[in-house]
Amino acid sequence: FGGRGNVLGEKILLNNQAYSVIGVMPDWFNFPTRIYVWIPLDMSRKNIAGNGSHRFQAVARVKPGRTIAEARADLLNISKRLEQQHPDNGKSESVVVPLQEQITGNVKPQLVVLMLAVMAVLLVACVNVANLLLARASGRQREIALRAVLGASRKRVIRQLLTESILLALIGAALGLAGAWWAVALIRSTVALPIPPMNPINVDATVLLFTTFISLAVGILFGLAPVLQASGIDLTEELKASAQSVIAPGWWQRLLRDSLVVGEIAVSLALLACAGLLLRSFEKMRSADIGIQPQRVMTMSVLLPKPKYETPVSRRNFLDAYLERIQHIPSVQSAAIATELPLEGGSNGYIIVDGDTDPAHLNQLVEYNYITPDYFRTFGIPFLHGATFSPVDMDQAYDTNLQLDDFFEKHPDAKTVPAGLHFGAIINRAMAETFWPSQNAIGKIFKINGGLPVRVIGIVGNASVFGIQSRPFPTAYLPVTVSLNAPFCNGIVIAKTSGAPSSVVSALRSNLNAMDNSLAPFQVRTMEQVIDEITQSTSIQTYLLGSFAALALLLAAIGLYSVLAYLVTQRTREIGIRMALGAKHSDVLRLVMAHGSKLIAVGLVLGIAATLACTRLMESLLFGVTTRDPITFISVAVVMAVVALAACYVPAHRAMRVDPNVALRHE
């Protein structure tokens, strides 16, 4: 509407049906997510698909003074009464969940892990700064001693050093916020971040205050190390030293410096291990057996608007004709139409098996997918027993569907259907093993949708229904002709191609346009893209955590290098004396490397212990990998050791090249 303010009364054509605008919601209102238009719900029995349907969600506000637990109890009582009144509808227990938990509950573990990773990187960076400040304070001991002799109080010296530390932290925070402004635009373009869509990412006042607080906190906390060192200076010894010399730090100062390096290594190893576990988990997900062959499969959704395709006859004619056109595309090996894709299921219900009173079976949901005969061949799903649907099966299901529709129009309150109304179904192995263990499920009868009998004519392998990480789920494949009286006729076209699947997109679109140019295809994706979308959240988490781990590893290496380089500088005169007395280059190299190796060894041990404690938080994020995966632990320990030893070698190599003549004159 061009952003016009007054659009009340304007007409909108949705699915070939006219609507009038009666209200405009504010921009911030986004419930359910990614919804732009709200229309009245048709509450007729034909639209809601009988009492057994559970595809709707209710939203309610709890009365003041009442609790969620009380709401659960009230609705549980209502559900029990409904089950007694409508026993053929199966289980109808209500599940009450707070809206905040519904929106954010499943992302909390991911956000906690990422936040801990950010804090770990911040910790490593601050430890580096603390070590550098320690080294700088050692070089300023004479300056500080002179200030003290000239009248500066200990409080004033401490204030100066803390001011310098806080100033460094605030400058770093300012640069970080500047980078955040740039990064937010990039983050917003990534739709699969583990962040609720109702919570847009902004660098707002909260972020500014948080960053300022953290900067002040780390400036004070990590500025204490040089302050403590400076406050312990022996003025007499310092002033007696020559103008250029530096008094060697005490044992506690060396211990503090080495402890900070050990901490860096430990934290970096923990981050590396967490990133390694996510990477291994992502690899397992990508190579998991999902029961289908996704290569060279193109999918595309088409919605037939009810006002234009009102009758099951018109819907079937369109789908049959369109499927025939697709099958004649030269590069298409096989094609099918279904109401669901593997990994993206969500249409399910309870079934009734005559004589089966097992509570576990009565409460077991079964996934429904309405398909055409070539569905299994297109996806490469193997047949275990029986055969796929024949044209006779499709026609029988179609006739049964029409008779059932006519019956409920004449008898809207009927609880059972007439005898003889049944058709064939194909089930997966999980459903056969769940309801008919140790039996041949072929020929078994079960009831769906308020008592409609269905006969098993085939059994196929398990295809993942609710994502890659889900267990095999009982699934019934029904003829697509049964779904033609549904409120929304949504057909997903699936085509197996001989070449690149994207090469048939234009042909799919042109054939659809030739049949009805008012229809717009949507969700045009290859099956591999579907898998990418499902694993995108994990891949982004892996990328982010891997980036944090790589940054922490780099910082730890820099920290170890700087400590050893400072150590070499402090011990230059000692090294010169050793070499003058006959020490070889290898002896000097060993001297420096030994000190670094001790720090590395202690850091690795503490890091592995910390990792074992931290990875418990990641159990819900992993797939096919345990939190104590030995391959991951060994790999990251080796990487950490190699990088750390390389950081040690540079100052050690410089130490062994010290010229004794120069070193003995070193001040």
Side-chain angles (χ1 to χ4, degrees):
F1 295 104
R4 288 190 285 111
N6 184 15
V7 295
L8 299 184
E10 294 281 358
K11 303 296 182 182
I12 301 177
L13 197 64
L14 296 174
N15 293 329
N16 209 43
Q17 185 168 343
Y19 291 85
S20 297
V21 178
I22 64 170
V24 180
M25 297 302 295
D27 289 339
W28 58 262
F29 187 79
N30 186 23
F31 182 82
T33 58
R34 300 187 181 93
I35 298 298
Y36 304 96
V37 180
W38 293 264
I39 62 174
L41 175 63
D42 179 2
M43 294 294 289
S44 66
R45 181 189 178 100
K46 185 175 182 180
N47 182 65
I48 64 176
N51 292 334
S53 173
H54 59 273
R55 63 188 178 92
F56 297 99
Q57 289 186 331
V59 183
R61 182 175 295 278
V62 179
K63 290 182 179 179
R66 305 301 295 271
T67 65
I68 295 294
E70 291 174 320
R72 287 195 182 103
D74 290 342
L75 284 176
L76 182 60
N77 292 331
I78 295 173
S79 299
K80 290 180 178 178
R81 291 200 301 269
L82 287 174
E83 288 183 9
Q84 295 173 356
Q85 295 172 13
H86 306 280
D88 293 336
N89 290 338
K91 194 74 173 176
S92 59
E93 181 178 342
S94 298
V95 180
V96 181
V97 180
L99 181 60
Q100 183 178 11
E101 182 180 332
Q102 177 79 7
I103 296 172
T104 65
N106 62 336
V107 303
K108 285 182 181 178
Q110 305 170 37
L111 294 180
V112 167
V113 169
L114 290 177
M115 189 61 183
L116 289 176
V118 172
M119 292 171 64
V121 173
L122 177 63
L123 178 62
V124 173
C126 290
V127 167
N128 259 353
V129 173
N131 257 329
L132 292 174
L133 290 176
L134 277 173
R136 186 165 180 263
S138 296
R140 298 175 63 187
Q141 287 182 5
R142 185 172 181 81
E143 172 201 338
I144 294 171
L146 286 173
R147 288 178 180 272
V149 170
L150 293 175
S153 64
R154 174 174 294 186
K155 183 184 296 185
R156 184 168 182 176
V157 171
I158 291 175
R159 184 170 65 243
Q160 177 184 343
L161 294 176
L162 282 179
T163 301
E164 294 174 359
S165 175
I166 293 172
L167 184 60
L168 285 174
L170 290 177
I171 293 174
L175 294 175
L177 284 171
W181 282 102
W182 170 82
V184 161
L186 179 64
I187 294 175
R188 283 175 178 168
S189 65
T190 306
V191 297
L193 273 176
I195 296 174
M198 295 183 182
N199 186 18
I201 307 168
N202 292 304
V203 181
D204 53 15
T206 303
V207 175
L208 182 62
L209 291 174
F210 176 78
T211 306
T212 304
F213 171 77
I214 290 293
S215 302
L216 290 172
V218 299
I220 295 172
L221 180 62
F222 291 93
L224 288 177
V227 167
L228 292 175
Q229 177 174 308
S231 62
I233 292 177
D234 187 332
L235 298 181
T236 303
E237 292 296 327
E238 184 64 38
L239 292 175
K240 284 195 306 183
S242 60
Q244 299 297 326
S245 63
V246 177
I247 298 296
W251 68 270
W252 70 270
Q253 294 168 330
R254 295 194 299 270
L255 178 62
L256 176 61
R257 183 186 59 203
D258 291 347
S259 298
L260 291 175
V261 174
V262 168
E264 279 189 283
I265 296 174
V267 172
S268 301
L269 179 65
L271 267 181
L272 276 175
C274 292
L277 288 173
L278 271 183
L279 181 60
R280 290 262 295 156
S281 179
F282 181 66
E283 290 177 349
K284 292 282 186 181
M285 289 180 64
R286 295 294 299 180
S287 60
D289 181 13
I290 57 176
I292 65 170
Q293 298 175 9
Q295 297 81 11
R296 295 183 288 107
V297 174
M298 174 59 67
T299 69
M300 184 183 78
S301 296
V302 178
L303 178 66
L304 301 182
K306 187 176 179 180
K308 189 171 186 179
Y309 298 91
E310 187 174 5
T311 64
V313 175
S314 61
R315 296 179 177 187
R316 183 180 186 184
N317 290 339
F318 180 89
L319 293 178
D320 286 347
Y322 188 44
L323 183 59
E324 185 177 359
R325 281 174 170 264
I326 296 171
Q327 291 170 336
H328 283 85
I329 298 175
S331 58
V332 172
Q333 294 179 337
S334 64
I337 292 178
T339 56
E340 288 184 9
L341 286 178
L343 306 173
E344 292 188 337
S347 175
N348 45 56
Y350 299 98
I351 70 169
I352 299 174
V353 179
D354 290 339
D356 190 349
T357 59
D358 187 341
H361 293 172
L362 296 176
N363 297 330
Q364 174 62 59
L365 283 171
V366 173
E367 189 72 9
Y368 301 146
N369 194 357
Y370 301 88
I371 64 171
T372 56
D374 279 344
Y375 176 88
F376 303 107
R377 183 162 71 96
T378 303
F379 272 125
I381 301 175
F383 258 90
L384 306 180
H385 303 286
T388 190
F389 297 123
S390 66
V392 175
D393 295 320
M394 303 298 287
D395 291 338
Q396 182 184 10
Y398 177 72
D399 294 337
T400 301
N401 174 57
L402 294 180
Q403 294 176 47
L404 184 66
D405 194 29
D406 181 63
F407 173 78
F408 276 120
E409 283 188 1
K410 295 178 180 179
H411 307 87
D413 298 325
K415 296 183 179 180
T416 59
V417 298
L421 284 181
H422 70 275
F423 53 88
I426 299 170
I427 65 175
N428 68 345
R429 175 185 289 171
M431 183 170 176
E433 293 175 348
T434 299
F435 292 94
W436 300 281
S438 305
Q439 300 181 48
N440 183 8
I442 299 294
K444 299 293 184 179
I445 304 292
F446 62 94
K447 297 177 182 178
I448 64 171
N449 294 343
L452 179 62
V454 180
R455 180 173 55 88
V456 178
I457 65 171
I459 303 175
V460 296
N462 296 326
S464 297
V465 176
F466 300 110
I468 296 175
Q469 304 182 48
S470 63
R471 59 177 176 81
F473 198 85
T475 304
Y477 298 94
L478 310 170
V480 74
T481 47
V482 180
S483 67
L484 295 179
N485 66 339
F488 299 97
C489 186
N490 180 23
I492 302 176
V493 177
I494 307 156
K496 180 78 171 183
T497 64
S498 56
S502 57
S503 62
V504 301
V505 173
S506 60
L508 294 176
R509 291 180 181 273
S510 61
N511 278 284
L512 181 65
N513 186 64
M515 294 185 62
D516 187 344
N517 59 10
S518 69
L519 298 180
F522 59 100
Q523 290 185 321
V524 182
R525 304 168 294 172
T526 67
M527 199 60 207
E528 290 178 324
Q529 287 175 327
V530 173
I531 296 175
D532 288 340
E533 291 176 6
I534 292 173
T535 59
Q536 189 175 25
S537 178
T538 301
S539 66
I540 290 178
Q541 294 170 50
T542 304
Y543 173 78
L544 289 175
L545 200 56
S547 300
F548 296 151
L551 181 57
L553 178 63
L554 176 62
L555 290 173
I558 293 174
L560 185 59
Y561 165 81
S562 62
V563 166
L564 291 181
Y566 179 66
L567 177 66
V568 169
T569 301
Q570 277 192 324
R571 301 178 67 178
T572 299
R573 186 177 181 84
E574 173 196 340
I575 293 171
I577 294 174
R578 287 177 180 271
M579 297 184 71
L581 294 176
K584 299 178 181 178
H585 288 175
S586 58
D587 297 327
V588 177
L589 180 66
R590 191 181 307 112
L591 175 69
V592 179
M593 291 294 292
H595 183 74
S597 298
K598 290 177 183 178
L599 299 181
I600 296 169
V602 176
L604 291 179
V605 172
L606 294 179
I608 291 175
T611 303
L612 292 175
C614 295
T615 49
R616 294 180 182 178
L617 298 173
M618 299 182 58
E619 287 181 343
S620 62
L621 307 180
L622 301 180
F623 171 74
V625 179
T626 66
T627 56
R628 299 188 176 187
D629 180 52
I631 296 177
T632 302
F633 277 76
I634 294 173
S635 300
V636 298
V638 170
V639 170
M640 187 76 234
V642 169
V643 173
L645 287 173
C648 293
Y649 179 78
V650 177
H653 183 264
R654 189 173 66 184
M656 74 179 187
R657 301 189 65 179
V658 169
D659 186 343
N661 294 321
V662 176
L664 292 175
R665 294 195 301 269
H666 181 75
E667 293 284 331

